[in-house]
Amino acid sequence: MGHTSRSMEDSGAVCDSMNCGDLAQEDYVMSKYKLIYFNIRGRAEIIRYIFAYLDIKYEDHRIEQADWPKIKPTLPFGKIPVLEVGGLMLHQSLAIARYLTKNTDLAGKTEMEQCQADAVVDTLDDFMSLFPWAEKNQDVKERTFKDLLTCHAPPLLKDLDTYLGDREWFIGDYVSTRMFKNTSTCI
Protein backbone atom coordinates (compact mmCIF):
# COMPACT_ATOMS: atom_id res chain seq x y z
CA MET A 1 0.00 0.00 0.00
CA GLY A 2 1.34 3.39 -0.88
CA HIS A 3 0.36 6.89 -0.09
CA THR A 4 1.30 10.42 -0.82
CA SER A 5 0.65 13.43 1.32
CA ARG A 6 -0.70 16.57 -0.23
CA SER A 7 -0.57 19.84 1.63
CA MET A 8 -0.63 23.55 1.19
CA GLU A 9 0.61 26.16 3.61
CA ASP A 10 -2.33 28.26 4.76
CA SER A 11 -5.74 26.60 4.70
CA GLY A 12 -7.22 29.35 6.86
CA ALA A 13 -6.55 31.97 4.20
CA VAL A 14 -8.46 29.89 1.69
CA CYS A 15 -11.39 29.65 4.09
CA ASP A 16 -11.38 33.45 4.34
CA SER A 17 -11.30 33.89 0.58
CA MET A 18 -13.91 31.16 -0.10
CA ASN A 19 -16.58 32.54 2.27
CA CYS A 20 -16.73 29.47 4.50
CA GLY A 21 -19.72 30.82 6.41
CA ASP A 22 -20.23 29.33 9.87
CA LEU A 23 -17.62 26.63 9.35
CA ALA A 24 -14.79 27.38 11.76
CA GLN A 25 -11.43 27.79 10.08
CA GLU A 26 -9.91 25.39 12.59
CA ASP A 27 -12.15 22.65 11.14
CA TYR A 28 -10.18 22.95 7.92
CA VAL A 29 -6.80 23.57 9.52
CA MET A 30 -6.96 21.14 12.46
CA SER A 31 -8.85 18.17 10.98
CA LYS A 32 -6.72 15.37 9.68
CA TYR A 33 -8.15 14.04 6.47
CA LYS A 34 -7.16 10.67 5.05
CA LEU A 35 -8.58 9.81 1.65
CA ILE A 36 -8.50 6.09 0.86
CA TYR A 37 -8.89 4.92 -2.72
CA PHE A 38 -7.25 2.80 -5.39
CA ASN A 39 -4.09 4.03 -7.08
CA ILE A 40 -6.16 5.60 -9.87
CA ARG A 41 -8.16 8.81 -10.35
CA GLY A 42 -11.70 7.40 -10.55
CA ARG A 43 -14.36 8.37 -8.03
CA ALA A 44 -11.87 9.94 -5.62
CA GLU A 45 -10.68 12.53 -8.13
CA ILE A 46 -13.49 14.99 -7.40
CA ILE A 47 -12.45 14.88 -3.73
CA ARG A 48 -8.80 15.50 -4.62
CA TYR A 49 -9.82 18.46 -6.79
CA ILE A 50 -11.81 19.95 -3.93
CA PHE A 51 -8.93 19.52 -1.48
CA ALA A 52 -6.55 21.18 -3.95
CA TYR A 53 -8.92 24.03 -4.80
CA LEU A 54 -9.67 24.76 -1.13
CA ASP A 55 -5.98 24.31 -0.24
CA ILE A 56 -6.78 21.69 2.43
CA LYS A 57 -4.11 19.32 3.75
CA TYR A 58 -4.88 15.61 3.48
CA GLU A 59 -3.26 12.22 3.19
CA ASP A 60 -3.90 10.58 -0.17
CA HIS A 61 -3.70 6.89 0.74
CA ARG A 62 -3.56 4.77 -2.44
CA ILE A 63 -4.54 1.10 -2.26
CA GLU A 64 -2.99 -1.37 -4.66
CA GLN A 65 -5.34 -3.91 -6.24
CA ALA A 66 -3.48 -6.82 -4.61
CA ASP A 67 -4.23 -5.40 -1.13
CA TRP A 68 -7.94 -4.79 -1.79
CA PRO A 69 -9.29 -8.17 -0.58
CA LYS A 70 -7.72 -7.62 2.88
CA ILE A 71 -8.90 -4.00 3.18
CA LYS A 72 -12.43 -4.31 1.76
CA PRO A 73 -14.04 -5.94 4.84
CA THR A 74 -12.74 -3.15 7.10
CA LEU A 75 -14.55 -0.37 5.22
CA PRO A 76 -18.15 0.89 5.38
CA PHE A 77 -20.17 -1.21 2.91
CA GLY A 78 -16.87 -2.60 1.61
CA LYS A 79 -16.50 0.30 -0.84
CA ILE A 80 -14.20 3.19 -1.53
CA PRO A 81 -13.48 6.07 -1.63
CA VAL A 82 -13.53 6.61 2.11
CA LEU A 83 -12.52 9.77 3.92
CA GLU A 84 -11.35 9.41 7.51
CA VAL A 85 -12.11 12.54 9.53
CA GLY A 86 -11.64 12.77 13.28
CA GLY A 87 -11.90 9.00 13.73
CA LEU A 88 -15.02 8.65 11.55
CA MET A 89 -15.11 7.01 8.14
CA LEU A 90 -17.22 8.83 5.58
CA HIS A 91 -18.10 6.96 2.39
CA GLN A 92 -19.56 7.69 -1.06
CA SER A 93 -17.61 10.14 -3.22
CA LEU A 94 -20.42 12.62 -3.76
CA ALA A 95 -21.41 12.63 -0.08
CA ILE A 96 -17.77 13.36 0.79
CA ALA A 97 -17.62 16.13 -1.83
CA ARG A 98 -20.81 17.67 -0.42
CA TYR A 99 -19.41 17.45 3.11
CA LEU A 100 -16.19 19.23 2.10
CA THR A 101 -18.00 21.99 0.17
CA LYS A 102 -21.12 22.40 2.30
CA ASN A 103 -20.11 25.64 3.96
CA THR A 104 -18.20 27.13 1.05
CA ASP A 105 -19.36 28.86 -2.12
CA LEU A 106 -18.44 25.69 -4.03
CA ALA A 107 -21.73 24.13 -2.91
CA GLY A 108 -23.85 27.05 -4.13
CA LYS A 109 -24.56 30.34 -2.39
CA THR A 110 -28.23 29.66 -1.65
CA GLU A 111 -30.29 26.57 -0.88
CA MET A 112 -31.77 26.77 -4.38
CA GLU A 113 -28.29 26.87 -5.98
CA GLN A 114 -27.22 23.95 -3.78
CA CYS A 115 -30.20 21.94 -5.01
CA GLN A 116 -29.45 22.87 -8.63
CA ALA A 117 -25.80 21.87 -8.17
CA ASP A 118 -26.83 18.56 -6.64
CA ALA A 119 -29.16 17.90 -9.58
CA VAL A 120 -26.41 18.47 -12.16
CA VAL A 121 -23.90 16.35 -10.23
CA ASP A 122 -26.44 13.56 -9.72
CA THR A 123 -27.35 13.64 -13.43
CA LEU A 124 -23.70 13.12 -14.36
CA ASP A 125 -23.35 10.43 -11.70
CA ASP A 126 -26.38 8.59 -13.11
CA PHE A 127 -24.59 8.43 -16.46
CA MET A 128 -21.24 7.40 -14.97
CA SER A 129 -22.98 4.62 -13.02
CA LEU A 130 -24.03 2.99 -16.30
CA PHE A 131 -20.42 2.11 -17.13
CA PRO A 132 -19.37 -1.47 -16.35
CA TRP A 133 -16.25 -0.48 -14.40
CA ALA A 134 -15.85 -3.89 -12.75
CA GLU A 135 -16.61 -6.00 -15.84
CA LYS A 136 -13.94 -8.68 -16.23
CA ASN A 137 -14.73 -9.60 -19.86
CA GLN A 138 -12.80 -6.98 -21.83
CA ASP A 139 -14.90 -7.45 -25.00
CA VAL A 140 -18.16 -6.86 -23.11
CA LYS A 141 -16.63 -3.89 -21.33
CA GLU A 142 -15.40 -2.28 -24.57
CA ARG A 143 -18.74 -2.82 -26.37
CA THR A 144 -20.67 -1.32 -23.47
CA PHE A 145 -18.33 1.67 -23.21
CA LYS A 146 -18.62 2.27 -26.96
CA ASP A 147 -22.43 2.05 -26.83
CA LEU A 148 -22.65 4.43 -23.88
CA LEU A 149 -20.26 6.95 -25.43
CA THR A 150 -21.82 6.87 -28.91
CA CYS A 151 -25.52 6.41 -28.08
CA HIS A 152 -26.08 7.75 -24.56
CA ALA A 153 -23.49 10.49 -24.13
CA PRO A 154 -24.58 12.74 -27.05
CA PRO A 155 -28.18 13.19 -25.77
CA LEU A 156 -26.86 13.83 -22.25
CA LEU A 157 -24.39 16.43 -23.53
CA LYS A 158 -27.18 18.07 -25.55
CA ASP A 159 -29.39 18.21 -22.44
CA LEU A 160 -26.54 19.71 -20.40
CA ASP A 161 -25.87 22.26 -23.14
CA THR A 162 -29.55 23.19 -23.21
CA TYR A 163 -29.59 23.51 -19.41
CA LEU A 164 -26.48 25.70 -19.54
CA GLY A 165 -27.94 27.96 -22.23
CA ASP A 166 -25.98 31.18 -22.66
CA ARG A 167 -24.54 31.06 -19.13
CA GLU A 168 -20.86 30.42 -18.40
CA TRP A 169 -21.60 28.25 -15.34
CA PHE A 170 -24.36 25.72 -14.67
CA ILE A 171 -25.42 27.46 -11.45
CA GLY A 172 -24.69 31.03 -10.43
CA ASP A 173 -21.77 33.01 -11.80
CA TYR A 174 -18.81 31.33 -10.11
CA VAL A 175 -16.83 28.08 -9.81
CA SER A 176 -18.68 25.31 -7.99
CA THR A 177 -18.46 21.55 -7.51
CA ARG A 178 -19.98 20.99 -10.95
CA MET A 179 -16.73 22.19 -12.46
CA PHE A 180 -14.89 19.45 -10.55
CA LYS A 181 -17.43 16.75 -11.39
CA ASN A 182 -17.42 17.72 -15.09
CA THR A 183 -13.64 17.66 -15.17
CA SER A 184 -13.26 14.40 -13.26
CA THR A 185 -15.70 12.57 -15.53
CA CYS A 186 -13.67 13.58 -18.57
CA ILE A 187 -10.39 12.24 -17.19
Side-chain angles (χ1 to χ4, degrees):
M1 288 182 277
H3 75 274
T4 55
S5 292
R6 314 248 187 229
S7 65
M8 300 292 180
E9 290 300 313
D10 185 10
S11 299
V14 171
C15 199
D16 287 340
S17 69
M18 284 301 302
N19 184 20
C20 292
D22 294 332
L23 182 64
Q25 288 183 16
E26 59 269 14
D27 287 347
Y28 275 119
V29 177
M30 309 237 351
S31 290
K32 292 187 178 183
Y33 296 106
K34 180 179 180 181
L35 178 62
I36 302 169
Y37 195 65
F38 295 116
N39 194 17
I40 60 172
R41 289 180 253 182
R43 290 194 171 267
E45 200 65 8
I46 187 175
I47 300 163
R48 294 182 188 113
Y49 284 156
I50 291 167
F51 278 136
Y53 189 82
L54 293 177
D55 204 11
I56 298 173
K57 294 180 183 183
Y58 74 106
E59 179 183 347
D60 191 5
H61 187 81
R62 307 281 181 120
I63 297 172
E64 297 302 326
Q65 200 67 41
D67 297 318
W68 177 236
K70 293 179 284 185
I71 296 167
K72 183 176 180 168
T74 68
L75 301 172
F77 300 94
K79 296 189 177 200
I80 51 178
V82 169
L83 182 66
E84 289 184 16
V85 183
L88 296 174
M89 292 185 104
L90 306 176
H91 66 284
Q92 290 290 350
S93 58
L94 297 181
I96 294 166
R98 288 177 176 122
Y99 163 76
L100 292 171
T101 62
K102 187 171 181 67
N103 294 303
T104 71
D105 288 348
L106 286 177
K109 293 179 182 176
T110 67
E111 287 182 7
M112 183 61 72
E113 286 184 356
Q114 290 168 1
C115 182
Q116 290 173 307
D118 285 347
V120 170
V121 169
D122 290 346
T123 297
L124 292 169
D125 190 58
D126 287 347
F127 177 68
M128 295 304 294
S129 295
L130 297 174
F131 286 83
W133 303 106
E135 175 62 55
K136 302 270 189 243
N137 183 319
Q138 205 56 33
D139 290 336
V140 170
K141 190 173 189 174
E142 286 177 19
R143 276 195 313 274
T144 306
F145 267 66
K146 183 178 179 182
D147 178 60
L148 289 169
L149 293 173
T150 58
C151 298
H152 296 266
L156 172 63
L157 293 172
K158 185 177 183 213
D159 288 345
L160 289 170
D161 191 54
T162 299
Y163 185 81
L164 183 62
D166 293 333
R167 299 181 311 248
E168 184 177 356
W169 305 100
F170 280 114
I171 286 81
D173 58 356
Y174 53 92
V175 173
S176 65
T177 54
R178 279 107 33 240
M179 185 269 300
F180 299 116
K181 181 64 181 177
N182 291 338
T183 305
S184 68
T185 58
C186 295
I187 293 176

